[in-house]
Amino acid sequence: MAAYAESPIPTGDADFQTIWTFIKQGMDHIMTNPQESLTNNGYMGLYTCVYNFCNGSLILSGAKNSSKPAGRTRLKPGCPELYSNLVQYFVGYIVKIRDASDSLTNEALLRYYAREWDRYSMSVTHVDRAFKPFNRYWVVRKTYEGKNHVYPVSTLAILLWKRDFFVSLQKTSRNITPSVLKLIEARRQGENTDESVVKSVLNSFVSLGMDENGEASLGVYEEHFEEPFVAATEMFYVTESQVLSAKTTLSGYLKRAEEILRVEKDHIQLCLDTNKRERLTSRCEQLLVRDHAEKMWDGFQQLLENDQEEDLERMYRLLARNPGGLDPLYPKFEAVVKHAGQVAIANLVRKDGPNVGVLKPKLYIDTLFYVYHKYQSIVEKRFNSNKAFVSAFGKACQSFINSSTAPGESTSKVSQILVNQVDGLLRKSSESLGNGELEHGLNQTALNLGAGSYLEVYRGQTHFSDSLHC
């Protein structure tokens, strides 16, 4: 565009055809190569030409001998002619783009529309900057005079694209909205799609919300995308959740549901306005989580018993999205932990005989510590140290540690055996145990004691108390 930059800039009093020829050459370059745009000299030349034209179109009112001061109050007819030429220029450009798309359908049409919209909107931005003097001197004045259908250059260009390309396209069987929805659904199904295409099309929907009064709104976006998108999303997840629930295991459902919600979060952030995301997010969670919560509750115990910790964590994350969704799990968790402790003690009794008192205390400590540590780890790592699960875990441990008797024929309390173990460790500490072994043994016992009732443990333990003071 060096030739354009070097061309002499028409003066404000040049004939209109000379001025328009110069302006059109600059616009041709901008509309064809928006990313390259004009050189600084070329751009300033276009801006200066528009400025000179507008400035030269102003006439001083008031004669030299008049008592009224002279001022720039009237406009020559040249500005309306320039506005009319701009309308014809943009219409010709848009119709050419529209006609070139006649043979395209579906995704090919969608990609073409996105590409041409990006080029057009960027070009219009550059042109509008060059026409700032025109917008300021003439468009603002006409708007002030009540000419409602005179717009700034950028608004004019958007309204013409809407009228001559978008609206005419949406009225045909080549409507681009279904193609956008298909592209989004393909991404939901795990296919690699071009996110930028969807983004460009949605940007056009938002920009085209401009009405005939030049007022911006989301009307086009809501009508041509948001409403169909929400309806299609709900239909997709109603079907998807029903198929998943019927054909997959609970473990498979949890994995797929979490993945769906993660992907859908990206879709919602890409496609919906910030103020409208919460509604669809809540609806998706209802279809995938709340409507299937009972199945998750029923399968919780089996996941615990089978040590499926990753699935437990997925279930926790999903149900935590819903207020009260975790409530039925707390008593189930308490019952499972309590039963695990009782079974562990019962197995020791059956293995080593009916008299618990004759068994080695360390064996009990190790067994109880294993149960304690296993479920404590689940609470901390899988349930995010949820307070209600922590409470249920504590109650379960207190129950099997402070039971009146250990299972079997024994009449000894488990808490009594814990105390005997500490007593034995302290007696041997100065003789046969190293510091590391003593510390490990005390730590294990202390954890089990912490899960029980301290009053039960310490009541009447004279020798234990004396040992602590040695």
Side-chain angles (χ1 to χ4, degrees), residues 297-309:
W297 297 333
D298 292 343
F300 177 73
Q301 182 171 335
Q302 185 177 358
L303 295 182
L304 266 178
E305 293 173 349
N306 293 340
D307 298 329
Q308 295 174 251
E309 293 192 16

Side-chain angles (χ1 to χ4, degrees), residues 168-223:
S168 62
L169 186 64
Q170 293 297 88
K171 289 180 179 179
T172 69
S173 59
R174 299 191 305 137
N175 184 326
I176 61 175
T177 299
S179 297
V180 177
L181 298 179
K182 285 181 181 179
L183 207 58
I184 294 173
E185 183 171 341
R187 189 166 184 265
R188 286 191 180 116
Q189 299 287 10
E191 298 180 23
N192 291 325
T193 59
D194 190 348
E195 187 177 288
S196 65
V197 172
V198 175
K199 188 174 182 179
S200 294
V201 173
L202 297 187
N203 285 341
S204 83
F205 288 0
V206 173
S207 298
L208 296 176
M210 194 83 65
D211 62 21
E212 292 184 354
N213 295 318
E215 298 293 331
S217 75
L218 292 174
V220 170
Y221 166 82
E222 291 171 346
E223 177 185 354

